[in-house]
mmCIF file of all heavy atoms in Angstrom:
data_model
loop_
_atom_site.group_PDB
_atom_site.id
_atom_site.type_symbol
_atom_site.label_atom_id
_atom_site.label_comp_id
_atom_site.label_asym_id
_atom_site.label_seq_id
_atom_site.Cartn_x
_atom_site.Cartn_y
_atom_site.Cartn_z
ATOM 1 N N CYS D 1 0.814 17.893 1.353
ATOM 2 C CA CYS D 1 0.336 18.242 0.014
ATOM 3 C C CYS D 1 -0.536 19.476 0.163
ATOM 4 O O CYS D 1 -1.572 19.428 0.826
ATOM 5 C CB CYS D 1 -0.451 17.099 -0.605
ATOM 6 S SG CYS D 1 -1.292 17.552 -2.141
ATOM 7 N N ALA D 2 -0.098 20.570 -0.450
ATOM 8 C CA ALA D 2 -0.818 21.832 -0.340
ATOM 9 C C ALA D 2 -1.693 22.069 -1.563
ATOM 10 O O ALA D 2 -1.238 21.899 -2.701
ATOM 11 C CB ALA D 2 0.157 22.985 -0.182
ATOM 12 N N LEU D 3 -2.932 22.462 -1.319
ATOM 13 C CA LEU D 3 -3.877 22.780 -2.390
ATOM 14 C C LEU D 3 -4.043 24.282 -2.498
ATOM 15 O O LEU D 3 -4.200 24.966 -1.469
ATOM 16 C CB LEU D 3 -5.218 22.113 -2.112
ATOM 17 C CG LEU D 3 -6.314 22.243 -3.187
ATOM 18 C CD1 LEU D 3 -7.224 21.003 -3.187
ATOM 19 C CD2 LEU D 3 -7.157 23.508 -2.988
ATOM 20 N N SER D 4 -4.002 24.806 -3.708
ATOM 21 C CA SER D 4 -4.231 26.232 -3.942
ATOM 22 C C SER D 4 -5.169 26.409 -5.127
ATOM 23 O O SER D 4 -5.351 25.503 -5.933
ATOM 24 C CB SER D 4 -2.908 26.956 -4.210
ATOM 25 O OG SER D 4 -2.300 26.457 -5.382
ATOM 26 N N GLY D 5 -5.765 27.585 -5.181
ATOM 27 C CA GLY D 5 -6.613 27.924 -6.307
ATOM 28 C C GLY D 5 -8.103 27.847 -6.030
ATOM 29 O O GLY D 5 -8.890 28.492 -6.711
ATOM 30 N N ARG D 6 -8.493 27.027 -5.100
ATOM 31 C CA ARG D 6 -9.895 26.900 -4.721
ATOM 32 C C ARG D 6 -9.960 26.638 -3.220
ATOM 33 O O ARG D 6 -8.959 26.420 -2.560
ATOM 34 C CB ARG D 6 -10.559 25.750 -5.484
ATOM 35 C CG ARG D 6 -10.630 25.935 -6.987
ATOM 36 C CD ARG D 6 -11.648 26.999 -7.401
ATOM 37 N NE ARG D 6 -12.997 26.669 -7.033
ATOM 38 C CZ ARG D 6 -13.808 25.908 -7.745
ATOM 39 N NH1 ARG D 6 -13.401 25.376 -8.885
ATOM 40 N NH2 ARG D 6 -15.037 25.669 -7.327
ATOM 41 N N SER D 7 -11.177 26.603 -2.693
ATOM 42 C CA SER D 7 -11.345 26.352 -1.264
ATOM 43 C C SER D 7 -11.056 24.891 -0.922
ATOM 44 O O SER D 7 -11.726 23.978 -1.396
ATOM 45 C CB SER D 7 -12.773 26.698 -0.851
ATOM 46 O OG SER D 7 -12.993 26.350 0.491
ATOM 47 N N PHE D 8 -10.053 24.684 -0.092
ATOM 48 C CA PHE D 8 -9.616 23.329 0.277
ATOM 49 C C PHE D 8 -10.743 22.533 0.909
ATOM 50 O O PHE D 8 -10.837 21.310 0.723
ATOM 51 C CB PHE D 8 -8.431 23.461 1.242
ATOM 52 C CG PHE D 8 -7.854 22.169 1.718
ATOM 53 C CD1 PHE D 8 -7.243 21.293 0.829
ATOM 54 C CD2 PHE D 8 -7.893 21.820 3.063
ATOM 55 C CE1 PHE D 8 -6.687 20.103 1.273
ATOM 56 C CE2 PHE D 8 -7.344 20.632 3.521
ATOM 57 C CZ PHE D 8 -6.729 19.777 2.622
ATOM 58 N N THR D 9 -11.608 23.205 1.638
ATOM 59 C CA THR D 9 -12.656 22.493 2.370
ATOM 60 C C THR D 9 -13.727 21.913 1.457
ATOM 61 O O THR D 9 -14.580 21.170 1.924
ATOM 62 C CB THR D 9 -13.316 23.425 3.402
ATOM 63 O OG1 THR D 9 -13.833 24.583 2.718
ATOM 64 C CG2 THR D 9 -12.318 23.866 4.462
ATOM 65 N N MET D 10 -13.686 22.196 0.172
ATOM 66 C CA MET D 10 -14.642 21.626 -0.772
ATOM 67 C C MET D 10 -14.208 20.265 -1.291
ATOM 68 O O MET D 10 -14.952 19.611 -2.023
ATOM 69 C CB MET D 10 -14.800 22.572 -1.960
ATOM 70 C CG MET D 10 -15.502 23.866 -1.636
ATOM 71 S SD MET D 10 -17.233 23.596 -1.181
ATOM 72 C CE MET D 10 -17.887 22.997 -2.737
ATOM 73 N N TYR D 11 -13.000 19.804 -0.901
ATOM 74 C CA TYR D 11 -12.412 18.630 -1.525
ATOM 75 C C TYR D 11 -12.188 17.474 -0.567
ATOM 76 O O TYR D 11 -11.660 17.658 0.538
ATOM 77 C CB TYR D 11 -11.076 19.003 -2.168
ATOM 78 C CG TYR D 11 -11.237 19.975 -3.309
ATOM 79 C CD1 TYR D 11 -11.260 21.339 -3.082
ATOM 80 C CD2 TYR D 11 -11.404 19.518 -4.607
ATOM 81 C CE1 TYR D 11 -11.431 22.235 -4.122
ATOM 82 C CE2 TYR D 11 -11.581 20.402 -5.659
ATOM 83 C CZ TYR D 11 -11.597 21.755 -5.400
ATOM 84 O OH TYR D 11 -11.773 22.638 -6.435
ATOM 85 N N ALA D 12 -12.553 16.287 -1.033
ATOM 86 C CA ALA D 12 -12.044 15.064 -0.433
ATOM 87 C C ALA D 12 -10.670 14.811 -1.038
ATOM 88 O O ALA D 12 -10.427 15.144 -2.198
ATOM 89 C CB ALA D 12 -12.974 13.894 -0.713
ATOM 90 N N MET D 13 -9.783 14.217 -0.254
ATOM 91 C CA MET D 13 -8.393 14.077 -0.676
ATOM 92 C C MET D 13 -7.950 12.626 -0.613
ATOM 93 O O MET D 13 -8.458 11.824 0.181
ATOM 94 C CB MET D 13 -7.483 14.911 0.231
ATOM 95 C CG MET D 13 -7.830 16.395 0.291
ATOM 96 S SD MET D 13 -7.627 17.241 -1.273
ATOM 97 C CE MET D 13 -5.844 17.128 -1.484
ATOM 98 N N GLY D 14 -6.967 12.323 -1.442
ATOM 99 C CA GLY D 14 -6.423 10.972 -1.439
ATOM 100 C C GLY D 14 -4.929 10.979 -1.721
ATOM 101 O O GLY D 14 -4.388 11.946 -2.268
ATOM 102 N N TRP D 15 -4.288 9.911 -1.312
ATOM 103 C CA TRP D 15 -2.874 9.660 -1.629
ATOM 104 C C TRP D 15 -2.789 8.360 -2.425
ATOM 105 O O TRP D 15 -3.428 7.358 -2.068
ATOM 106 C CB TRP D 15 -2.026 9.526 -0.371
ATOM 107 C CG TRP D 15 -1.692 10.825 0.292
ATOM 108 C CD1 TRP D 15 -2.337 11.401 1.348
ATOM 109 C CD2 TRP D 15 -0.610 11.704 -0.034
ATOM 110 N NE1 TRP D 15 -1.738 12.584 1.685
ATOM 111 C CE2 TRP D 15 -0.662 12.791 0.858
ATOM 112 C CE3 TRP D 15 0.407 11.676 -0.997
ATOM 113 C CZ2 TRP D 15 0.261 13.845 0.820
ATOM 114 C CZ3 TRP D 15 1.312 12.717 -1.031
ATOM 115 C CH2 TRP D 15 1.240 13.788 -0.137
ATOM 116 N N PHE D 16 -1.982 8.389 -3.458
ATOM 117 C CA PHE D 16 -1.695 7.222 -4.269
ATOM 118 C C PHE D 16 -0.178 7.109 -4.401
ATOM 119 O O PHE D 16 0.548 8.050 -4.085
ATOM 120 C CB PHE D 16 -2.326 7.380 -5.664
ATOM 121 C CG PHE D 16 -3.832 7.359 -5.644
ATOM 122 C CD1 PHE D 16 -4.556 8.466 -5.231
ATOM 123 C CD2 PHE D 16 -4.527 6.227 -6.032
ATOM 124 C CE1 PHE D 16 -5.945 8.453 -5.201
ATOM 125 C CE2 PHE D 16 -5.909 6.189 -6.003
ATOM 126 C CZ PHE D 16 -6.620 7.301 -5.586
ATOM 127 N N ARG D 17 0.267 5.952 -4.888
ATOM 128 C CA ARG D 17 1.697 5.795 -5.132
ATOM 129 C C ARG D 17 1.929 4.943 -6.362
ATOM 130 O O ARG D 17 1.090 4.135 -6.736
ATOM 131 C CB ARG D 17 2.404 5.197 -3.916
ATOM 132 C CG ARG D 17 2.023 3.760 -3.603
ATOM 133 C CD ARG D 17 2.679 3.332 -2.297
ATOM 134 N NE ARG D 17 2.368 1.941 -1.964
ATOM 135 C CZ ARG D 17 2.712 1.356 -0.826
ATOM 136 N NH1 ARG D 17 3.388 2.020 0.096
ATOM 137 N NH2 ARG D 17 2.387 0.089 -0.619
ATOM 138 N N GLN D 18 3.086 5.162 -6.971
ATOM 139 C CA GLN D 18 3.450 4.385 -8.151
ATOM 140 C C GLN D 18 4.921 4.017 -8.068
ATOM 141 O O GLN D 18 5.791 4.904 -8.059
ATOM 142 C CB GLN D 18 3.166 5.167 -9.432
ATOM 143 C CG GLN D 18 3.358 4.342 -10.686
ATOM 144 C CD GLN D 18 2.698 4.939 -11.890
ATOM 145 O OE1 GLN D 18 2.357 6.121 -11.923
ATOM 146 N NE2 GLN D 18 2.478 4.124 -12.906
ATOM 147 N N ALA D 19 5.167 2.732 -8.012
ATOM 148 C CA ALA D 19 6.529 2.212 -7.988
ATOM 149 C C ALA D 19 6.969 1.942 -9.422
ATOM 150 O O ALA D 19 6.132 1.737 -10.302
ATOM 151 C CB ALA D 19 6.575 0.941 -7.157
ATOM 152 N N PRO D 20 8.281 1.907 -9.662
ATOM 153 C CA PRO D 20 8.778 1.659 -11.015
ATOM 154 C C PRO D 20 8.242 0.352 -11.589
ATOM 155 O O PRO D 20 8.306 -0.693 -10.931
ATOM 156 C CB PRO D 20 10.297 1.595 -10.821
ATOM 157 C CG PRO D 20 10.557 2.374 -9.594
ATOM 158 C CD PRO D 20 9.370 2.156 -8.707
ATOM 159 N N GLY D 21 7.690 0.425 -12.782
ATOM 160 C CA GLY D 21 7.197 -0.767 -13.444
ATOM 161 C C GLY D 21 5.877 -1.299 -12.920
ATOM 162 O O GLY D 21 5.432 -2.374 -13.328
ATOM 163 N N LYS D 22 5.246 -0.558 -12.027
ATOM 164 C CA LYS D 22 3.987 -1.024 -11.431
ATOM 165 C C LYS D 22 2.873 -0.016 -11.695
ATOM 166 O O LYS D 22 3.117 1.154 -11.999
ATOM 167 C CB LYS D 22 4.157 -1.246 -9.935
ATOM 168 C CG LYS D 22 5.102 -2.381 -9.571
ATOM 169 C CD LYS D 22 5.044 -2.694 -8.090
ATOM 170 C CE LYS D 22 5.912 -3.882 -7.748
ATOM 171 N NZ LYS D 22 5.832 -4.223 -6.295
ATOM 172 N N GLU D 23 1.647 -0.503 -11.541
ATOM 173 C CA GLU D 23 0.489 0.362 -11.678
ATOM 174 C C GLU D 23 0.398 1.313 -10.478
ATOM 175 O O GLU D 23 0.839 0.984 -9.368
ATOM 176 C CB GLU D 23 -0.785 -0.480 -11.727
ATOM 177 C CG GLU D 23 -0.870 -1.431 -12.908
ATOM 178 C CD GLU D 23 -1.235 -0.711 -14.182
ATOM 179 O OE1 GLU D 23 -2.035 0.238 -14.108
ATOM 180 O OE2 GLU D 23 -0.729 -1.091 -15.243
ATOM 181 N N ARG D 24 -0.210 2.468 -10.719
ATOM 182 C CA ARG D 24 -0.479 3.379 -9.616
ATOM 183 C C ARG D 24 -1.510 2.733 -8.692
ATOM 184 O O ARG D 24 -2.489 2.130 -9.158
ATOM 185 C CB ARG D 24 -1.016 4.706 -10.150
ATOM 186 C CG ARG D 24 -1.208 5.773 -9.091
ATOM 187 C CD ARG D 24 -1.669 7.073 -9.727
ATOM 188 N NE ARG D 24 -0.657 7.610 -10.631
ATOM 189 C CZ ARG D 24 -0.821 8.739 -11.331
ATOM 190 N NH1 ARG D 24 -1.941 9.429 -11.221
ATOM 191 N NH2 ARG D 24 0.135 9.173 -12.122
ATOM 192 N N GLU D 25 -1.300 2.853 -7.380
ATOM 193 C CA GLU D 25 -2.209 2.213 -6.439
ATOM 194 C C GLU D 25 -2.657 3.172 -5.357
ATOM 195 O O GLU D 25 -1.935 4.113 -4.988
ATOM 196 C CB GLU D 25 -1.543 0.986 -5.797
ATOM 197 C CG GLU D 25 -0.333 1.290 -4.939
ATOM 198 C CD GLU D 25 0.204 0.050 -4.231
ATOM 199 O OE1 GLU D 25 -0.337 -1.062 -4.431
ATOM 200 O OE2 GLU D 25 1.182 0.198 -3.465
ATOM 201 N N PHE D 26 -3.830 2.891 -4.841
ATOM 202 C CA PHE D 26 -4.394 3.682 -3.761
ATOM 203 C C PHE D 26 -3.640 3.444 -2.470
ATOM 204 O O PHE D 26 -3.243 2.311 -2.175
ATOM 205 C CB PHE D 26 -5.866 3.302 -3.581
ATOM 206 C CG PHE D 26 -6.488 3.815 -2.325
ATOM 207 C CD1 PHE D 26 -6.878 5.138 -2.213
ATOM 208 C CD2 PHE D 26 -6.680 2.971 -1.240
ATOM 209 C CE1 PHE D 26 -7.451 5.610 -1.047
ATOM 210 C CE2 PHE D 26 -7.255 3.435 -0.074
ATOM 211 C CZ PHE D 26 -7.643 4.752 0.020
ATOM 212 N N VAL D 27 -3.454 4.507 -1.685
ATOM 213 C CA VAL D 27 -2.795 4.406 -0.389
ATOM 214 C C VAL D 27 -3.746 4.783 0.748
ATOM 215 O O VAL D 27 -3.937 4.013 1.680
ATOM 216 C CB VAL D 27 -1.546 5.304 -0.335
ATOM 217 C CG1 VAL D 27 -0.925 5.285 1.061
ATOM 218 C CG2 VAL D 27 -0.523 4.872 -1.377
ATOM 219 N N ALA D 28 -4.318 5.987 0.671
ATOM 220 C CA ALA D 28 -5.164 6.465 1.771
ATOM 221 C C ALA D 28 -6.080 7.567 1.256
ATOM 222 O O ALA D 28 -5.757 8.239 0.273
ATOM 223 C CB ALA D 28 -4.314 6.985 2.923
ATOM 224 N N ALA D 29 -7.203 7.745 1.957
ATOM 225 C CA ALA D 29 -8.153 8.792 1.587
ATOM 226 C C ALA D 29 -8.767 9.402 2.829
ATOM 227 O O ALA D 29 -8.869 8.742 3.874
ATOM 228 C CB ALA D 29 -9.245 8.228 0.681
ATOM 229 N N ILE D 30 -9.176 10.659 2.694
ATOM 230 C CA ILE D 30 -9.811 11.358 3.806
ATOM 231 C C ILE D 30 -10.982 12.171 3.261
ATOM 232 O O ILE D 30 -10.917 12.723 2.164
ATOM 233 C CB ILE D 30 -8.787 12.243 4.554
ATOM 234 C CG1 ILE D 30 -9.364 12.790 5.846
ATOM 235 C CG2 ILE D 30 -8.269 13.369 3.649
ATOM 236 C CD1 ILE D 30 -8.306 13.358 6.783
ATOM 237 N N SER D 31 -12.042 12.222 4.044
ATOM 238 C CA SER D 31 -13.233 12.941 3.606
ATOM 239 C C SER D 31 -13.044 14.437 3.710
ATOM 240 O O SER D 31 -12.090 14.935 4.326
ATOM 241 C CB SER D 31 -14.422 12.504 4.462
ATOM 242 O OG SER D 31 -14.200 12.854 5.825
ATOM 243 N N ARG D 32 -13.975 15.123 3.130
ATOM 244 C CA ARG D 32 -13.949 16.583 3.171
ATOM 245 C C ARG D 32 -13.927 17.096 4.612
ATOM 246 O O ARG D 32 -13.241 18.063 4.925
ATOM 247 C CB ARG D 32 -15.191 17.095 2.439
ATOM 248 C CG ARG D 32 -15.374 18.579 2.434
ATOM 249 C CD ARG D 32 -16.638 18.932 1.679
ATOM 250 N NE ARG D 32 -16.995 20.328 1.892
ATOM 251 C CZ ARG D 32 -18.106 20.893 1.437
ATOM 252 N NH1 ARG D 32 -18.964 20.178 0.705
ATOM 253 N NH2 ARG D 32 -18.360 22.153 1.680
ATOM 254 N N SER D 33 -14.678 16.439 5.499
ATOM 255 C CA SER D 33 -14.758 16.856 6.901
ATOM 256 C C SER D 33 -13.540 16.434 7.707
ATOM 257 O O SER D 33 -13.286 16.975 8.777
ATOM 258 C CB SER D 33 -15.998 16.251 7.546
ATOM 259 O OG SER D 33 -15.873 14.842 7.583
ATOM 260 N N GLY D 34 -12.801 15.449 7.187
ATOM 261 C CA GLY D 34 -11.683 14.900 7.950
ATOM 262 C C GLY D 34 -12.090 13.791 8.910
ATOM 263 O O GLY D 34 -11.232 13.158 9.521
ATOM 264 N N ILE D 35 -13.385 13.543 9.022
ATOM 265 C CA ILE D 35 -13.869 12.555 9.979
ATOM 266 C C ILE D 35 -13.644 11.134 9.481
ATOM 267 O O ILE D 35 -13.312 10.231 10.246
ATOM 268 C CB ILE D 35 -15.356 12.803 10.281
ATOM 269 C CG1 ILE D 35 -15.509 14.113 11.065
ATOM 270 C CG2 ILE D 35 -15.968 11.635 11.041
ATOM 271 C CD1 ILE D 35 -16.943 14.515 11.321
ATOM 272 N N SER D 36 -13.819 10.928 8.186
ATOM 273 C CA SER D 36 -13.683 9.579 7.619
ATOM 274 C C SER D 36 -12.334 9.419 6.949
ATOM 275 O O SER D 36 -11.867 10.315 6.240
ATOM 276 C CB SER D 36 -14.785 9.336 6.586
ATOM 277 O OG SER D 36 -16.064 9.532 7.138
ATOM 278 N N THR D 37 -11.710 8.271 7.192
ATOM 279 C CA THR D 37 -10.464 7.920 6.524
ATOM 280 C C THR D 37 -10.532 6.463 6.078
ATOM 281 O O THR D 37 -11.328 5.678 6.603
ATOM 282 C CB THR D 37 -9.240 8.116 7.432
ATOM 283 O OG1 THR D 37 -9.390 7.306 8.608
ATOM 284 C CG2 THR D 37 -9.071 9.569 7.840
ATOM 285 N N TYR D 38 -9.665 6.138 5.116
ATOM 286 C CA TYR D 38 -9.629 4.757 4.614
ATOM 287 C C TYR D 38 -8.226 4.481 4.109
ATOM 288 O O TYR D 38 -7.571 5.367 3.556
ATOM 289 C CB TYR D 38 -10.646 4.585 3.486
ATOM 290 C CG TYR D 38 -10.860 3.143 3.088
ATOM 291 C CD1 TYR D 38 -11.693 2.320 3.839
ATOM 292 C CD2 TYR D 38 -10.230 2.600 1.981
ATOM 293 C CE1 TYR D 38 -11.887 1.003 3.484
ATOM 294 C CE2 TYR D 38 -10.415 1.286 1.627
ATOM 295 C CZ TYR D 38 -11.255 0.489 2.369
ATOM 296 O OH TYR D 38 -11.440 -0.818 2.025
ATOM 297 N N TYR D 39 -7.769 3.231 4.319
ATOM 298 C CA TYR D 39 -6.398 2.878 3.981
ATOM 299 C C TYR D 39 -6.337 1.595 3.175
ATOM 300 O O TYR D 39 -7.144 0.692 3.368
ATOM 301 C CB TYR D 39 -5.573 2.699 5.250
ATOM 302 C CG TYR D 39 -5.484 3.943 6.096
ATOM 303 C CD1 TYR D 39 -6.408 4.191 7.112
ATOM 304 C CD2 TYR D 39 -4.482 4.889 5.881
ATOM 305 C CE1 TYR D 39 -6.340 5.339 7.876
ATOM 306 C CE2 TYR D 39 -4.404 6.039 6.644
ATOM 307 C CZ TYR D 39 -5.340 6.259 7.642
ATOM 308 O OH TYR D 39 -5.272 7.397 8.395
ATOM 309 N N ALA D 40 -5.317 1.521 2.338
ATOM 310 C CA ALA D 40 -5.000 0.251 1.710
ATOM 311 C C ALA D 40 -4.504 -0.711 2.775
ATOM 312 O O ALA D 40 -3.859 -0.306 3.757
ATOM 313 C CB ALA D 40 -3.926 0.454 0.638
ATOM 314 N N ASP D 41 -4.775 -1.983 2.587
ATOM 315 C CA ASP D 41 -4.350 -2.979 3.574
ATOM 316 C C ASP D 41 -2.838 -2.962 3.784
ATOM 317 O O ASP D 41 -2.360 -3.204 4.892
ATOM 318 C CB ASP D 41 -4.787 -4.372 3.126
ATOM 319 C CG ASP D 41 -6.283 -4.591 3.267
ATOM 320 O OD1 ASP D 41 -6.939 -3.804 3.988
ATOM 321 O OD2 ASP D 41 -6.795 -5.545 2.652
ATOM 322 N N SER D 42 -2.105 -2.653 2.734
ATOM 323 C CA SER D 42 -0.639 -2.708 2.814
ATOM 324 C C SER D 42 -0.046 -1.629 3.726
ATOM 325 O O SER D 42 1.105 -1.749 4.150
ATOM 326 C CB SER D 42 -0.040 -2.567 1.418
ATOM 327 O OG SER D 42 -0.449 -1.342 0.820
ATOM 328 N N VAL D 43 -0.820 -0.584 4.025
ATOM 329 C CA VAL D 43 -0.291 0.509 4.859
ATOM 330 C C VAL D 43 -1.068 0.688 6.159
ATOM 331 O O VAL D 43 -0.663 1.489 7.008
ATOM 332 C CB VAL D 43 -0.274 1.845 4.080
ATOM 333 C CG1 VAL D 43 0.479 1.681 2.769
ATOM 334 C CG2 VAL D 43 -1.672 2.380 3.850
ATOM 335 N N LYS D 44 -2.148 -0.052 6.310
ATOM 336 C CA LYS D 44 -2.993 0.096 7.493
ATOM 337 C C LYS D 44 -2.183 -0.160 8.753
ATOM 338 O O LYS D 44 -1.443 -1.136 8.850
ATOM 339 C CB LYS D 44 -4.173 -0.861 7.397
ATOM 340 C CG LYS D 44 -5.359 -0.502 8.257
ATOM 341 C CD LYS D 44 -6.536 -1.415 7.957
ATOM 342 C CE LYS D 44 -7.042 -1.260 6.544
ATOM 343 N NZ LYS D 44 -8.222 -2.113 6.263
ATOM 344 N N GLY D 45 -2.309 0.740 9.720
ATOM 345 C CA GLY D 45 -1.574 0.609 10.971
ATOM 346 C C GLY D 45 -0.199 1.264 10.943
ATOM 347 O O GLY D 45 0.424 1.443 11.996
ATOM 348 N N ARG D 46 0.291 1.615 9.761
ATOM 349 C CA ARG D 46 1.597 2.270 9.635
ATOM 350 C C ARG D 46 1.476 3.702 9.133
ATOM 351 O O ARG D 46 2.264 4.570 9.520
ATOM 352 C CB ARG D 46 2.505 1.489 8.679
ATOM 353 C CG ARG D 46 2.784 0.072 9.108
ATOM 354 C CD ARG D 46 3.839 -0.584 8.222
ATOM 355 N NE ARG D 46 3.412 -0.685 6.830
ATOM 356 C CZ ARG D 46 4.072 -0.152 5.806
ATOM 357 N NH1 ARG D 46 5.198 0.512 6.008
ATOM 358 N NH2 ARG D 46 3.616 -0.304 4.568
#
């Protein structure tokens, strides 16, 4: 996922997903520094 228009290093980033007929759900997130990450239980380890 490429970010343009502003400085990328100012942003924390996240991934979400939405399956047909379902609510959008959190998948993974990463801090601005890249040091911290967090995952949904359904994808942790994969």
Side-chain angles (χ1 to χ4, degrees):
C1 171
L3 185 149
S4 63
R6 296 288 297 275
S7 175
F8 180 64
T9 57
M10 291 294 294
Y11 295 87
M13 303 296 294
W15 282 97
F16 293 77
R17 67 186 181 186
Q18 187 162 18
K22 294 190 176 182
E23 298 283 324
R24 185 177 296 179
E25 64 175 2
F26 167 77
V27 175
I30 190 165
S31 63
R32 177 180 168 185
S33 65
I35 291 175
S36 304
T37 59
Y38 191 80
Y39 299 91
D41 287 344
S42 58
V43 306
K44 201 173 296 182
R46 300 188 298 122

